[in-house]
Amino acid sequence: MAVTETNKWALVLGGSSGLGLAVVKKLAAHDFNILVVHRDRRSDLPEIEKQFDSVRSTRMTLVAFNVDATSIERQNELIPKIKAQLKDEKIAVLVHSIAKGNLKPMQSTTESTLQHQDFSLTIGAMATSFYDWVKLLVDQELFNEDLRTIAFTSEGNTKAWSNYAAISAAKAALEAMMRNIALEFAPMGIKSNCIQAGVTETKSFTMIPGSATLKAAALERNPNKRLTTPEDVANVVYLMTTPEAKWITGTVLKVDGGESLR
């Protein structure tokens, strides 16, 4: 691992693929050292480490922890390790990119349907864990005086799609938590926002039943006639870390090339 003179640190939850990995690469390119918490199968680790090594080769420090970021027990186990890595430095950016939820219908005669525990798991992983990590950084005094916190929502926050009910509920809860984080932690210098990306062809997106139909509809609706890319989203995450974005908090920013206009 390279050690640099920069003292800027970003913590990316779910940074091994898709939007999270794009954010890791973008922030590292702008002199952020990176802490990544991700949960992946052993068979996927060689390719993931290859991606991480490409970031390390640019002279930035990247430390990855392959544990469940949504587990309170694992969160507490990580704190001493994070502190040891940071030494006397602080985290300037927290990005929540955890995609862990149940894609089931509410009603079906042929498939398994959503149950209470499906909603609990999905909302816990994709919404509550965002607040858990913000609170953890605050309680452990690991954040700097201008912490930017960013989480990813989707157009499913207001639209109903088959099999998406649990994730839709999680996105609505995530946005509610984001707004209150922005309100209640403002005296500590913490800013909180959500980014609503357009349809982005990530591994998580392809797991959504009917994703091909959603993709086709997005291409038709988007005035730029292309899908959003992870890099499009990562670019805006970086913009939100700049001094010029310091007054933006408590809002949802659409990064979709105009897809949601119609």
Side-chain angles (χ1 to χ4, degrees):
M1 289 182 296
V3 178
T4 69
E5 295 181 358
T6 180
N7 61 359
K8 296 193 301 183
W9 284 91
L11 172 59
V12 182
L13 309 174
S16 60
S17 64
L19 301 184
L21 180 59
V23 168
V24 166
K25 292 180 176 180
K26 183 67 177 182
L27 294 184
H30 287 272
D31 298 328
F32 278 89
N33 296 310
I34 310 290
L35 298 168
V36 180
V37 184
H38 64 106
R39 187 64 179 136
D40 289 285
R41 295 176 298 183
R42 185 175 299 178
S43 60
D44 294 330
L45 292 181
E47 178 56 32
I48 291 168
E49 280 300 321
K50 181 180 177 181
Q51 296 292 334
F52 288 166
D53 284 341
S54 72
V55 173
R56 296 180 181 118
S57 69
T58 66
R59 74 183 171 81
M60 303 312 300
T61 298
L62 185 153
V63 181
F65 305 98
N66 187 20
V67 300
D68 183 2
T70 70
S71 164
I72 298 296
E73 181 181 357
R74 298 293 176 264
Q75 291 168 11
N76 291 327
E77 290 174 355
L78 278 175
I79 289 302
K81 298 177 182 178
I82 291 174
K83 286 182 175 179
Q85 187 61 49
L86 292 174
K87 297 182 173 64
D88 294 327
E89 295 169 350
K90 303 292 184 180
I91 292 170
V93 178
L94 170 67
V95 178
H96 184 283
S97 182
I98 295 174
K100 178 183 177 182
N102 283 296
L103 292 160
K104 299 178 183 177
M106 284 184 156
Q107 174 59 32
S108 175
T109 58
T110 59
E111 302 175 69
S112 174
T113 56
L114 283 170
Q115 305 299 319
H116 177 89
Q117 61 268 27
D118 295 318
F119 279 97
S120 296
L121 182 150
T122 305
I123 293 172
M126 300 185 74
T128 311
S129 64
F130 178 51
Y131 169 71
D132 290 340
W133 275 97
V134 173
K135 190 70 164 59
L136 201 58
L137 296 186
V138 170
D139 290 347
Q140 296 295 325
E141 299 182 347
L142 292 175
F143 67 103
N144 76 6
E145 61 186 12
D146 184 20
L147 175 67
R148 312 294 174 92
T149 70
I150 301 164
F152 297 135
T153 186
S154 75
E155 200 174 11
N157 56 4
T158 58
K159 292 191 174 180
W161 298 330
S162 296
N163 303 285
Y164 203 76
I167 297 178
S168 182
K171 296 303 187 185
L174 173 68
E175 292 177 24
M177 292 180 195
M178 173 273 293
R179 289 189 294 270
N180 268 73
I181 289 168
L183 173 69
E184 298 192 42
F185 289 104
M188 309 179 80
I190 295 173
K191 290 81 180 173
S192 189
N193 293 284
C194 284
I195 288 178
Q196 179 181 312
V199 168
T200 311
E201 204 164 13
T202 62
K203 181 169 67 174
S204 297
F205 173 73
T206 59
M207 294 174 65
I208 300 174
S211 60
T213 301
L214 292 174
K215 175 182 174 180
L219 286 169
E220 177 62 30
R221 292 165 56 204
N222 197 308
N224 289 287
K225 299 305 177 185
R226 71 166 177 85
L227 298 182
T228 302
T229 68
E231 291 72 27
D232 292 326
V233 179
N235 287 342
V236 177
V237 170
Y238 166 65
L239 289 175
M240 295 301 293
T241 72
T242 62
E244 290 81 0
K246 191 173 183 177
W247 203 236
I248 302 173
T249 191
T251 194
V252 176
L253 295 97
K254 292 184 179 181
V255 182
D256 64 3
E259 178 186 313
S260 57
L261 290 173
R262 54 181 181 158

